[in-house]
């Protein structure tokens, strides 16, 4: 198995040799080992939205309870960890708000463990934290989630590989074929330069757009810390989104 030093050297070489500005991740980024086998190699085909919607979930505004945006509300007790709130706006490339957008999140718990049968690393599950939530954006494109700050966790890309703490975001458009998935990171994480998934976005400024900023006005006295992260769907300042085949998700 490759060492972190070998993976880091590969990342540095790719970034050094890149002669174009790339704001989206390379789908076959070699330091992210499984992407080489999983990235698309054939032309994409358009799906029939009506066909998909025959078997997709159907929901309306009344189907989402506002409490679903608070991941700390669980039966039986409170989750363990640092309570945080993440707020932001979903915008188009011209800075206009995207209203009524379904936003879903999922994440590891404070120990870096997902409630997922494929996540079996030696960290405790939290019986009072499921790690999933959703909401609809407001008229100004705003969203807000209250949750627990996730912990970093190991993965098997290479020896002693650890993912930076992050929250997965999923956004749906007007149809279930219009879905985009991305990840939000936390400022100052020392694992950033070591992570081949984040480093698959070779442009530094584009990587920085994946990192939330601390917002003291969102924090609450003796209760939680606040972070702000806007999601831009199109344009030169667009937020990186994972490919629809899941190549950017180590749990896919």
């Amino acid at each position: 198995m490759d060492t972190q030093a070998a993976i880091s050297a590969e990342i540095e070489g790719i970034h050094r040799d890149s002669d174009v500005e790339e704001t989206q991740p390379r789908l076959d980024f070699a330091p992210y080992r499984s992407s080489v086998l999983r990235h698309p190699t054939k032309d994409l085909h358009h799906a029939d939205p009506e066909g998909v919607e025959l078997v997709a979930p159907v929901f309306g505004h009344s189907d989402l309870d506002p409490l679903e945006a608070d991941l700390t509300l669980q039966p039986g007790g409170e989750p363990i960890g640092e309570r945080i709130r993440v707020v932001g706006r979903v915008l188009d490339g011209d800075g206009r708000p995207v209203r009524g957008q379904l936003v879903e999140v999922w994440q590891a718990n404070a120990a870096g463990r997902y409630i997922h049968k494929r996540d079996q690393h030696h960290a405790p599950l939290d019986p009072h934290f499921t790690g999933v939530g959703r909401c609809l954006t407001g008229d100004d494109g705003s969203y807000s989630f209250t949750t627990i700050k996730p912990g970093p966790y190991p993965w098997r890309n290479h020896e002693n590989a650890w993912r930076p703490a992050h929250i997965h975001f999923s956004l749906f458009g007007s149809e279930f074929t219009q879905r985009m998935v991305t990840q939000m990171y936390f400022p100052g994480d020392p694992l950033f330069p070591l992570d081949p998934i984040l480093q698959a976005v070779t442009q530094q400024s584009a990587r920085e757009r994946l990192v939330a900023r601390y917002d003291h006005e969102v924090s609450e006295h003796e209760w939680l810390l606040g972070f702000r992260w806007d999601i831009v769907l199109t344009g030169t300042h667009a937020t990186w989104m994972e490919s629809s085949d899941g190549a950017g998700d180590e749990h896919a």
Side-chain angles (χ1 to χ4, degrees):
M1 183 175 286
D2 295 300
T3 64
Q4 179 65 63
I7 294 293
S8 296
E10 287 186 39
I11 292 172
E12 181 180 356
I14 292 172
H15 287 189
R16 183 181 60 247
D17 297 338
S18 179
D19 55 359
V20 295
E21 292 190 347
E22 297 175 286
T23 60
Q24 295 296 306
R26 295 188 181 185
L27 299 182
D28 57 345
F29 192 67
Y32 179 13
R33 294 300 191 229
S34 64
S35 73
V36 177
L37 299 176
R38 297 166 60 198
H39 77 280
T41 58
K42 297 180 174 61
D43 292 337
L44 300 178
H45 295 276
H46 289 286
D48 178 7
E50 293 184 358
V52 172
E53 290 171 354
L54 290 175
V55 295
V58 177
F59 69 95
H61 288 63
S62 61
D63 295 326
L64 272 75
D65 192 307
L67 296 180
E68 292 184 65
D70 190 340
L71 283 68
T72 67
L73 297 178
Q74 301 290 335
E78 295 186 358
I80 300 298
E82 177 186 342
R83 188 182 288 105
I84 64 172
R85 176 168 294 136
V86 179
V87 304
R89 299 175 70 202
V90 180
L91 306 168
D92 66 16
D94 295 318
R96 294 173 300 207
V98 181
R99 304 174 179 87
Q101 182 93 35
L102 175 63
V103 182
E104 298 178 331
V105 294
W106 65 95
Q107 62 169 92
N109 65 21
R113 180 84 182 267
Y114 288 92
I115 299 181
H116 193 289
K117 63 181 180 181
R118 291 181 60 186
D119 188 349
Q120 298 294 321
H121 91 275
H122 301 294
L125 290 171
D126 187 338
H128 306 305
F129 189 72
T130 61
V132 296
R134 61 180 186 163
C135 72
L136 291 174
T137 57
D139 287 341
D140 60 349
S142 62
Y143 71 86
S144 176
F145 289 99
T146 301
T147 185
I148 297 297
K149 186 176 182 181
Y153 56 81
W155 63 308
R156 298 178 180 179
N157 187 73
H158 54 277
E159 182 182 357
N160 200 18
W162 289 81
R163 294 261 21 242
H166 61 277
I167 297 176
H168 296 265
F169 276 72
S170 166
L171 296 95
F172 283 95
S174 59
E175 300 168 345
F176 273 86
T177 54
Q178 299 173 340
R179 186 191 188 201
M180 295 182 289
V181 178
T182 187
Q183 298 178 16
M184 186 209 82
Y185 298 86
F186 294 88
D189 196 313
L191 294 173
F192 285 164
L194 308 180
D195 180 45
I197 292 181
L198 178 59
Q199 296 300 322
V201 183
T202 60
Q203 187 183 90
Q204 175 66 24
S205 61
R207 291 197 298 274
E208 290 173 354
R209 292 198 290 272
L210 296 174
V211 182
R213 63 179 177 86
Y214 172 70
D215 190 329
H216 197 65
E217 297 303 313
V218 177
S219 299
E220 294 185 17
H221 179 65
E222 296 185 351
W223 186 244
L224 56 75
L225 292 180
F227 295 87
R228 184 172 297 277
W229 190 59
D230 292 340
I231 302 171
V232 181
L233 299 181
T234 59
T236 57
H237 297 289
T239 304
W240 162 62
M241 300 289 173
E242 297 172 0
S243 61
S244 59
D245 73 328
D249 185 352
E250 73 281 5
H251 286 284

